[in-house]
Amino acid sequence: LGMLPVKPGLLAEADGDLFVIDLLRLRALKHNQKLQRVLALLGPLVRVSRVATEKDVLAISLTPRLLGLVETAQALIALRRATAE
């Protein structure tokens, strides 16, 4: 990535062979409120367990987090209260 004259907007940070991309930096996703609410609800329920590439395919494996159910329930309660007002 150091050879690129301009770093992609999705790039949050990079160090050697490791890099972090932030898909919410994409204009189409950044302002999508529904997507952000869904991600806030699903985020505690899953974690990225593996990232792999094969040719031009990026595979991201997710693993469920049962302890995230409490966080998700709290987020749903807060969302329901916010929409009821």
Side-chain angles (χ1 to χ4, degrees):
L1 291 171
M3 298 183 308
L4 296 174
V6 177
K7 291 186 180 178
L10 296 176
L11 186 62
E13 60 183 83
D15 184 22
D17 291 342
L18 302 174
F19 59 93
V20 176
I21 59 172
D22 182 355
L23 294 177
L24 291 179
R25 290 186 178 188
L26 285 173
R27 189 180 327 227
L29 302 180
K30 181 193 297 189
H31 300 293
N32 187 328
Q33 295 298 318
K34 284 185 182 181
L35 174 67
Q36 290 184 19
R37 280 190 237 124
V38 168
L39 291 176
L41 293 174
L42 294 179
L45 293 175
V46 294
R47 70 177 179 84
V48 175
S49 57
R50 183 172 180 257
V51 177
T53 59
E54 186 174 325
K55 297 185 182 177
D56 61 348
V57 175
L58 176 65
I60 301 171
S61 299
L62 302 175
T63 302
R65 287 184 60 234
L66 295 179
L67 295 176
L69 287 173
V70 173
E71 295 173 48
T72 301
Q74 291 171 339
L76 281 170
I77 291 167
L79 179 62
R80 186 171 181 177
R81 286 181 182 154
T83 57
E85 296 175 354

